[in-house]
Amino acid sequence: MIVAALRSAGRRAGTTARSRNFTASSAKAGGHGGPAYEHAEHMYDIGSMSNKGLKFGLGIFGGLALGCAIPVIAVKFQQKKAQG
């Protein structure tokens, strides 16, 4: 009786394992050989960017300024709240 139950469970386990398949849909936009940026073809064409040094310099300086200013402002705020 136990052997029969194990056999039927084995058969059921085998069929469910075979019925599960990996499925994936095709690429909607782009894909292999398609345009990388559909609506902005020259978005990341850094070589032909005008004022490249100015733009990157301002971006790096702005990020550095924010990275230094936010913790200083947070500490001042916490100390002000702790004073009462």
Side-chain angles (χ1 to χ4, degrees):
M1 184 170 212
I2 294 174
V3 176
L6 287 174
R7 274 192 203 139
S8 65
R11 281 190 216 124
R12 277 185 265 143
T15 56
T16 55
R18 264 186 262 128
S19 65
R20 292 182 177 175
N21 295 326
F22 177 77
T23 58
S25 60
S26 62
K28 300 296 180 203
H32 182 69
Y37 304 101
E38 194 170 330
H39 299 292
E41 296 172 1
H42 305 290
M43 185 174 195
Y44 296 114
D45 192 9
I46 296 171
S48 66
M49 182 189 294
S50 62
N51 296 325
K52 181 172 32 175
L54 176 67
K55 291 177 183 176
F56 277 94
L58 285 174
I60 290 171
F61 177 74
L64 183 66
L66 277 173
C68 292
I70 290 175
V72 170
I73 293 169
V75 167
K76 285 185 178 184
F77 178 75
Q78 287 178 347
Q79 288 176 346
K80 186 175 133 184
K81 293 280 280 190
Q83 282 180 349

XYZ file of all heavy atoms in Angstrom:
604
model
N 0.825 -1.187 0.000
C 0.000 0.000 0.000
C 0.875 1.259 0.000
O 0.612 2.195 -0.730
C -0.923 -0.035 1.207
C -1.867 1.103 1.249
S -3.049 0.786 2.532
C -4.434 1.547 1.856
N 1.898 1.267 0.835
C 2.797 2.415 0.898
C 3.580 2.534 -0.397
O 3.794 3.626 -0.923
C 3.736 2.290 2.115
C 2.923 2.375 3.403
C 4.798 3.368 2.083
C 3.727 2.120 4.649
N 3.961 1.388 -0.964
C 4.720 1.386 -2.216
C 3.879 1.978 -3.342
O 4.356 2.768 -4.152
C 5.192 -0.052 -2.544
C 5.893 -0.102 -3.888
C 6.105 -0.566 -1.448
N 2.618 1.626 -3.394
C 1.729 2.147 -4.426
C 1.547 3.654 -4.282
O 1.528 4.391 -5.271
C 0.382 1.441 -4.358
N 1.438 4.114 -3.045
C 1.287 5.548 -2.813
C 2.551 6.292 -3.231
O 2.487 7.383 -3.820
C 0.974 5.808 -1.344
N 3.726 5.714 -2.948
C 4.978 6.349 -3.346
C 5.128 6.380 -4.864
O 5.612 7.360 -5.432
C 6.159 5.617 -2.712
C 6.352 5.830 -1.209
C 7.457 4.940 -0.680
C 6.642 7.281 -0.917
N 4.702 5.312 -5.536
C 4.776 5.291 -7.000
C 3.884 6.356 -7.616
O 4.283 7.063 -8.527
C 4.359 3.918 -7.519
C 5.466 2.946 -7.558
C 5.068 1.711 -8.345
N 5.907 0.613 -7.914
C 5.500 -0.619 -7.704
N 4.242 -0.935 -7.896
N 6.334 -1.530 -7.306
N 2.664 6.472 -7.124
C 1.746 7.463 -7.695
C 2.226 8.886 -7.391
O 2.103 9.782 -8.216
C 0.324 7.248 -7.174
O 0.267 7.492 -5.781
N 2.810 9.079 -6.208
C 3.356 10.398 -5.882
C 4.540 10.718 -6.780
O 4.715 11.853 -7.219
C 3.771 10.449 -4.411
N 5.353 9.702 -7.079
C 6.495 9.896 -7.977
C 6.049 10.243 -9.380
O 6.640 11.082 -10.049
N 4.983 9.572 -9.835
C 4.461 9.878 -11.169
C 3.909 11.296 -11.237
O 4.122 12.010 -12.192
C 3.366 8.872 -11.532
C 3.908 7.568 -11.994
C 2.794 6.708 -12.567
N 3.073 5.323 -12.215
C 2.260 4.517 -11.564
N 1.080 4.950 -11.198
N 2.614 3.300 -11.297
N 3.159 11.695 -10.193
C 2.598 13.047 -10.170
C 3.689 14.100 -10.098
O 3.619 15.135 -10.737
C 1.633 13.203 -8.994
C 0.256 12.667 -9.318
C -0.682 12.939 -8.187
N -0.680 11.708 -7.368
C -0.756 11.670 -6.064
N -0.840 12.774 -5.379
N -0.744 10.534 -5.426
N 4.725 13.844 -9.316
C 5.828 14.799 -9.201
C 6.551 14.936 -10.530
O 6.964 16.021 -10.917
C 6.791 14.351 -8.107
N 6.687 13.816 -11.262
C 7.366 13.868 -12.553
C 6.584 14.658 -13.585
O 7.151 15.393 -14.385
N 5.265 14.528 -13.578
C 4.467 15.244 -14.573
C 4.431 16.734 -14.285
O 4.468 17.539 -15.202
C 3.031 14.690 -14.623
O 2.475 14.776 -13.313
C 3.013 13.263 -15.108
N 4.370 17.113 -13.007
C 4.345 18.545 -12.720
C 5.690 19.182 -13.021
O 5.757 20.316 -13.451
C 3.970 18.821 -11.250
O 4.862 18.101 -10.406
C 2.542 18.424 -10.966
N 6.775 18.441 -12.830
C 8.091 18.991 -13.124
C 8.263 19.172 -14.628
O 8.869 20.128 -15.082
C 9.183 18.087 -12.567
N 7.702 18.269 -15.415
C 7.820 18.393 -16.864
C 6.913 19.468 -17.431
O 7.204 20.032 -18.460
C 7.477 17.057 -17.520
C 8.697 16.242 -17.816
C 8.353 14.996 -18.584
N 8.273 13.893 -17.624
C 7.252 13.071 -17.519
N 6.218 13.183 -18.311
N 7.259 12.122 -16.615
N 5.809 19.771 -16.775
C 4.865 20.729 -17.333
C 5.284 22.175 -17.087
O 4.761 23.072 -17.712
C 3.469 20.506 -16.738
O 3.493 20.778 -15.351
N 6.236 22.394 -16.187
C 6.704 23.757 -15.939
C 7.786 24.110 -16.946
O 8.801 23.444 -17.054
C 7.274 23.879 -14.532
C 6.233 23.732 -13.466
C 6.864 23.921 -12.133
N 5.846 23.844 -11.096
C 6.102 23.886 -9.818
N 7.341 24.009 -9.393
N 5.148 23.812 -8.933
N 7.569 25.163 -17.682
C 8.526 25.595 -18.692
C 8.880 27.053 -18.462
O 8.073 27.835 -17.957
C 7.948 25.452 -20.090
C 7.693 24.014 -20.450
O 8.439 23.137 -20.040
N 6.628 23.773 -21.195
N 10.080 27.423 -18.859
C 10.492 28.826 -18.805
C 10.007 29.505 -20.066
O 10.293 29.066 -21.175
C 12.018 28.923 -18.700
C 12.499 30.331 -18.722
C 12.389 31.126 -17.602
C 13.059 30.875 -19.862
C 12.829 32.430 -17.616
C 13.497 32.170 -19.884
C 13.386 32.949 -18.753
N 9.264 30.590 -19.904
C 8.798 31.346 -21.058
C 9.196 32.793 -20.883
O 9.219 33.327 -19.776
C 7.265 31.269 -21.211
O 6.674 31.773 -20.014
C 6.814 29.839 -21.447
N 9.521 33.441 -21.975
C 9.885 34.855 -21.943
C 9.323 35.524 -23.187
O 9.231 34.912 -24.255
C 11.393 35.020 -21.895
N 8.941 36.772 -23.045
C 8.421 37.497 -24.195
C 9.590 38.107 -24.967
O 10.707 38.237 -24.474
C 7.464 38.595 -23.732
O 8.147 39.496 -22.893
N 9.317 38.503 -26.179
C 10.370 39.092 -27.008
C 10.611 40.541 -26.595
O 9.808 41.146 -25.891
C 9.962 39.032 -28.484
O 8.791 39.798 -28.665
N 11.714 41.093 -27.054
C 12.064 42.474 -26.721
C 11.069 43.428 -27.376
O 10.731 43.289 -28.550
C 13.472 42.785 -27.192
N 10.586 44.386 -26.608
C 9.590 45.318 -27.135
C 10.235 46.416 -27.966
O 9.757 46.790 -29.004
C 8.800 45.951 -25.987
C 8.066 44.951 -25.131
C 7.009 44.233 -25.909
C 6.301 43.249 -25.011
N 5.675 42.174 -25.719
N 11.331 46.999 -27.470
C 12.019 48.066 -28.196
C 13.511 47.827 -28.093
O 14.002 47.328 -27.091
C 11.662 49.420 -27.602
N 14.231 48.192 -29.109
C 15.673 47.986 -29.078
C 16.000 46.561 -29.425
O 15.705 46.111 -30.517
N 16.595 45.844 -28.527
C 16.965 44.471 -28.775
C 18.279 44.404 -29.525
O 18.959 45.399 -29.742
N 18.649 43.223 -29.956
C 19.917 43.046 -30.640
C 19.858 43.688 -32.016
O 18.987 43.381 -32.820
C 20.242 41.561 -30.768
C 21.559 41.311 -31.426
N 22.734 41.622 -30.809
C 21.885 40.819 -32.637
C 23.742 41.320 -31.620
N 23.229 40.821 -32.739
N 20.777 44.588 -32.292
C 20.839 45.234 -33.594
C 19.925 46.439 -33.718
O 19.970 47.144 -34.711
N 19.089 46.700 -32.714
C 18.203 47.855 -32.767
C 18.873 49.078 -32.167
O 19.974 49.004 -31.631
N 18.215 50.222 -32.276
C 18.800 51.430 -31.685
C 18.842 51.329 -30.164
O 17.897 50.860 -29.537
C 17.870 52.547 -32.134
C 16.585 51.871 -32.441
C 16.927 50.484 -32.914
N 19.945 51.748 -29.573
C 20.096 51.653 -28.129
C 19.167 52.640 -27.421
O 18.578 52.327 -26.401
C 21.542 51.914 -27.737
N 19.039 53.821 -27.967
C 18.188 54.848 -27.378
C 17.198 55.268 -28.455
O 17.548 55.969 -29.398
C 19.021 56.033 -26.899
C 20.086 55.606 -25.937
C 21.404 55.459 -26.340
C 19.755 55.299 -24.638
C 22.363 55.030 -25.456
C 20.702 54.871 -23.743
C 22.009 54.739 -24.160
O 22.954 54.308 -23.279
N 15.975 54.824 -28.308
C 14.994 54.992 -29.371
C 14.634 56.450 -29.624
O 14.515 56.875 -30.761
C 13.736 54.196 -29.011
C 12.790 54.026 -30.165
C 11.701 53.037 -29.833
O 11.928 52.118 -29.043
O 10.607 53.206 -30.383
N 14.465 57.228 -28.553
C 14.006 58.599 -28.724
C 15.108 59.630 -28.541
O 14.869 60.811 -28.716
C 12.866 58.893 -27.744
C 11.684 57.995 -27.963
N 10.899 58.061 -29.077
C 11.188 56.979 -27.225
C 9.953 57.140 -29.021
N 10.109 56.461 -27.898
N 16.282 59.224 -28.136
C 17.391 60.154 -27.943
C 18.664 59.501 -28.469
O 19.469 58.963 -27.721
C 17.524 60.503 -26.469
N 18.857 59.564 -29.773
C 19.962 58.855 -30.403
C 21.314 59.402 -29.965
O 22.281 58.658 -29.844
C 19.835 58.942 -31.919
C 18.596 58.236 -32.445
C 18.380 58.498 -33.916
O 19.203 59.202 -34.532
O 17.387 58.002 -34.455
N 21.416 60.702 -29.731
C 22.698 61.319 -29.384
C 22.743 61.724 -27.922
O 23.455 62.647 -27.548
C 22.948 62.526 -30.279
C 22.875 62.193 -31.738
N 23.838 61.419 -32.358
C 21.956 62.479 -32.687
C 23.513 61.269 -33.631
N 22.380 61.891 -33.852
N 22.000 61.020 -27.087
C 21.902 61.406 -25.688
C 23.234 61.280 -24.962
O 23.597 62.136 -24.177
C 20.847 60.552 -25.000
C 20.556 60.927 -23.590
S 19.173 59.937 -23.006
C 18.741 60.820 -21.558
N 23.981 60.225 -25.212
C 25.231 59.985 -24.510
C 26.433 60.080 -25.447
O 27.408 59.367 -25.298
C 25.202 58.620 -23.817
C 24.155 58.548 -22.737
C 23.067 57.703 -22.848
C 24.250 59.343 -21.614
C 22.105 57.648 -21.860
C 23.293 59.303 -20.623
C 22.236 58.450 -20.754
O 21.289 58.397 -19.775
N 26.363 60.969 -26.422
C 27.482 61.202 -27.335
C 28.386 62.255 -26.702
O 28.363 63.429 -27.048
C 26.958 61.652 -28.697
C 28.037 61.634 -29.744
O 29.138 61.124 -29.456
O 27.777 62.135 -30.857
N 29.206 61.828 -25.735
C 30.004 62.749 -24.930
C 31.113 63.383 -25.754
O 31.506 64.518 -25.508
C 30.563 62.015 -23.694
C 29.391 61.575 -22.821
C 31.501 62.885 -22.891
C 29.783 60.673 -21.691
N 31.600 62.676 -26.754
C 32.695 63.194 -27.563
C 32.353 64.469 -28.300
O 33.201 65.351 -28.475
N 31.109 64.629 -28.717
C 30.717 65.814 -29.471
C 29.974 66.839 -28.606
O 29.367 67.758 -29.131
C 29.831 65.411 -30.651
O 28.613 64.877 -30.181
N 30.027 66.681 -27.292
C 29.338 67.603 -26.389
C 30.069 68.949 -26.359
O 31.296 68.991 -26.280
C 29.297 67.005 -24.975
C 28.571 67.849 -23.959
S 28.770 67.216 -22.286
C 27.909 65.684 -22.382
N 29.326 70.030 -26.426
C 29.941 71.351 -26.314
C 30.051 71.733 -24.842
O 29.212 71.347 -24.028
C 29.101 72.396 -27.062
O 27.819 72.486 -26.502
N 31.094 72.484 -24.499
C 31.367 72.903 -23.113
C 31.440 71.703 -22.174
O 30.908 71.731 -21.068
C 30.318 73.885 -22.601
C 30.328 75.178 -23.371
O 31.384 75.640 -23.789
N 29.164 75.763 -23.575
N 32.123 70.646 -22.625
C 32.207 69.409 -21.858
C 32.879 69.627 -20.504
O 32.389 69.141 -19.486
C 32.972 68.367 -22.673
C 33.106 67.039 -22.012
C 33.696 65.946 -22.886
C 34.690 66.407 -23.890
N 35.324 65.313 -24.625
N 33.978 70.388 -20.493
C 34.695 70.624 -19.240
C 33.860 71.395 -18.238
O 33.857 71.085 -17.042
N 33.132 72.387 -18.709
C 32.287 73.191 -17.827
C 31.152 72.351 -17.241
O 30.905 72.383 -16.034
C 31.714 74.384 -18.588
C 30.729 75.266 -17.831
C 31.448 75.993 -16.709
C 30.064 76.241 -18.762
N 30.492 71.583 -18.084
C 29.345 70.792 -17.624
C 29.762 69.704 -16.635
O 29.117 69.520 -15.598
C 28.624 70.175 -18.822
C 27.907 71.207 -19.673
C 27.277 70.585 -20.888
C 26.631 71.640 -21.759
N 26.097 71.062 -22.990
N 30.847 68.997 -16.944
C 31.295 67.949 -16.032
C 31.873 68.546 -14.761
O 31.702 67.992 -13.675
C 32.311 67.029 -16.715
C 31.668 65.956 -17.546
C 31.454 66.143 -18.893
C 31.276 64.777 -16.975
C 30.858 65.163 -19.662
C 30.677 63.784 -17.732
C 30.470 63.978 -19.081
N 32.560 69.679 -14.893
C 33.099 70.341 -13.707
C 32.007 70.796 -12.766
O 32.095 70.605 -11.546
N 30.967 71.405 -13.318
C 29.843 71.843 -12.486
C 29.115 70.656 -11.862
O 28.696 70.719 -10.695
C 28.852 72.674 -13.314
C 29.289 74.096 -13.653
C 28.281 74.734 -14.593
C 29.453 74.921 -12.404
N 28.975 69.579 -12.623
C 28.303 68.392 -12.080
C 29.081 67.763 -10.936
O 28.511 67.413 -9.897
N 30.392 67.650 -11.105
C 31.217 67.053 -10.055
C 31.271 67.967 -8.841
O 31.161 67.517 -7.701
C 32.619 66.734 -10.596
C 32.514 65.584 -11.587
C 33.585 66.402 -9.479
C 33.782 65.298 -12.348
N 31.452 69.269 -9.070
C 31.490 70.210 -7.951
C 30.151 70.242 -7.212
O 30.111 70.277 -5.979
C 31.838 71.628 -8.438
C 31.825 72.648 -7.350
C 32.843 72.697 -6.419
C 30.773 73.554 -7.244
C 32.828 73.630 -5.398
C 30.749 74.489 -6.235
C 31.777 74.527 -5.308
N 29.048 70.212 -7.944
C 27.729 70.200 -7.309
C 27.510 68.947 -6.471
O 26.978 69.018 -5.364
N 27.919 67.803 -6.985
C 27.781 66.558 -6.224
C 28.645 66.553 -4.979
O 28.209 66.123 -3.906
N 29.857 67.071 -5.111
C 30.752 67.155 -3.962
C 30.214 68.126 -2.918
O 30.253 67.853 -1.716
C 32.147 67.585 -4.416
C 33.226 67.666 -3.352
C 33.516 66.276 -2.815
C 34.484 68.279 -3.927
N 29.685 69.263 -3.374
C 29.124 70.251 -2.444
C 27.922 69.678 -1.692
O 27.794 69.866 -0.474
C 28.730 71.519 -3.206
N 27.056 68.982 -2.398
C 25.902 68.359 -1.733
C 26.341 67.273 -0.757
O 25.791 67.160 0.342
C 24.947 67.759 -2.767
C 23.958 68.716 -3.405
C 23.206 68.007 -4.521
C 23.002 69.261 -2.388
N 27.327 66.484 -1.160
C 27.810 65.414 -0.308
C 28.445 65.921 0.973
O 28.448 65.231 1.990
N 29.002 67.123 0.947
C 29.595 67.706 2.154
C 28.580 68.516 2.955
O 28.650 68.557 4.187
C 30.773 68.601 1.779
S 32.171 67.679 1.119
N 27.653 69.187 2.274
C 26.724 70.093 2.948
C 25.610 69.347 3.684
O 25.219 69.765 4.774
C 26.116 71.054 1.938
N 25.106 68.286 3.122
C 23.971 67.582 3.742
C 24.321 67.033 5.127
O 23.555 67.249 6.073
C 23.424 66.495 2.789
C 22.731 67.160 1.621
C 22.487 65.548 3.507
C 22.256 66.213 0.546
N 25.455 66.360 5.326
C 25.769 65.896 6.682
C 25.989 67.044 7.671
O 25.596 66.941 8.837
C 27.048 65.078 6.519
C 27.075 64.687 5.105
C 26.406 65.778 4.365
N 26.610 68.141 7.217
C 26.840 69.294 8.104
C 25.507 69.882 8.539
O 25.293 70.168 9.726
C 27.727 70.349 7.407
C 27.778 71.631 8.208
C 29.124 69.798 7.189
N 24.596 70.044 7.607
C 23.269 70.595 7.933
C 22.520 69.643 8.864
O 21.856 70.084 9.813
C 22.472 70.866 6.632
C 23.133 71.999 5.843
C 21.026 71.191 6.930
C 22.595 72.174 4.447
N 22.637 68.339 8.632
C 21.946 67.360 9.481
C 22.484 67.389 10.908
O 21.704 67.334 11.875
C 22.096 65.964 8.887
N 23.797 67.510 11.076
C 24.383 67.554 12.418
C 23.960 68.821 13.141
O 23.603 68.792 14.328
C 25.922 67.439 12.337
C 26.571 67.799 13.664
C 26.317 66.037 11.915
N 23.984 69.950 12.430
C 23.556 71.211 13.053
C 22.090 71.142 13.486
O 21.727 71.615 14.559
C 23.765 72.379 12.097
C 25.208 72.786 11.954
C 25.337 74.025 11.093
C 26.786 74.454 10.986
N 26.936 75.689 10.235
N 21.262 70.530 12.650
C 19.851 70.398 12.979
C 19.660 69.518 14.216
O 18.872 69.851 15.110
C 19.097 69.811 11.779
C 17.638 69.578 12.026
C 16.752 70.636 12.064
C 17.155 68.284 12.228
C 15.409 70.413 12.282
C 15.819 68.060 12.457
C 14.936 69.127 12.487
N 20.379 68.409 14.284
C 20.262 67.518 15.431
C 20.756 68.171 16.711
O 20.150 68.002 17.774
C 21.054 66.226 15.178
C 20.384 65.312 14.182
C 21.203 64.059 13.920
O 22.367 63.986 14.295
N 20.592 63.077 13.286
N 21.830 68.926 16.616
C 22.342 69.609 17.807
C 21.377 70.690 18.274
O 21.223 70.910 19.469
C 23.725 70.186 17.517
C 24.791 69.121 17.411
C 26.134 69.694 17.017
O 26.255 70.830 16.583
N 27.176 68.865 17.155
N 20.751 71.372 17.339
C 19.768 72.395 17.681
C 18.563 71.776 18.363
O 18.035 72.309 19.349
C 19.341 73.140 16.411
C 18.439 74.310 16.647
C 18.194 75.021 15.318
C 16.735 75.295 15.161
N 16.401 75.887 13.875
N 18.100 70.614 17.890
C 16.966 69.936 18.494
C 17.324 69.410 19.887
O 16.480 69.365 20.769
C 16.529 68.759 17.612
C 15.945 69.151 16.270
C 14.537 69.566 16.355
C 13.670 68.342 16.415
N 12.257 68.621 16.269
N 18.581 68.970 20.069
C 18.987 68.421 21.355
C 19.113 69.501 22.436
O 18.936 69.210 23.621
C 20.312 67.693 21.208
N 19.383 70.741 22.039
C 19.500 71.830 23.012
C 18.158 72.175 23.628
O 18.086 72.604 24.752
C 20.100 73.062 22.350
C 21.598 72.974 22.178
C 22.165 74.228 21.522
O 21.409 75.059 21.028
N 23.472 74.348 21.523
N 17.151 72.001 22.865
C 15.813 72.243 23.412
C 15.290 73.502 22.984
O 14.653 74.346 22.965
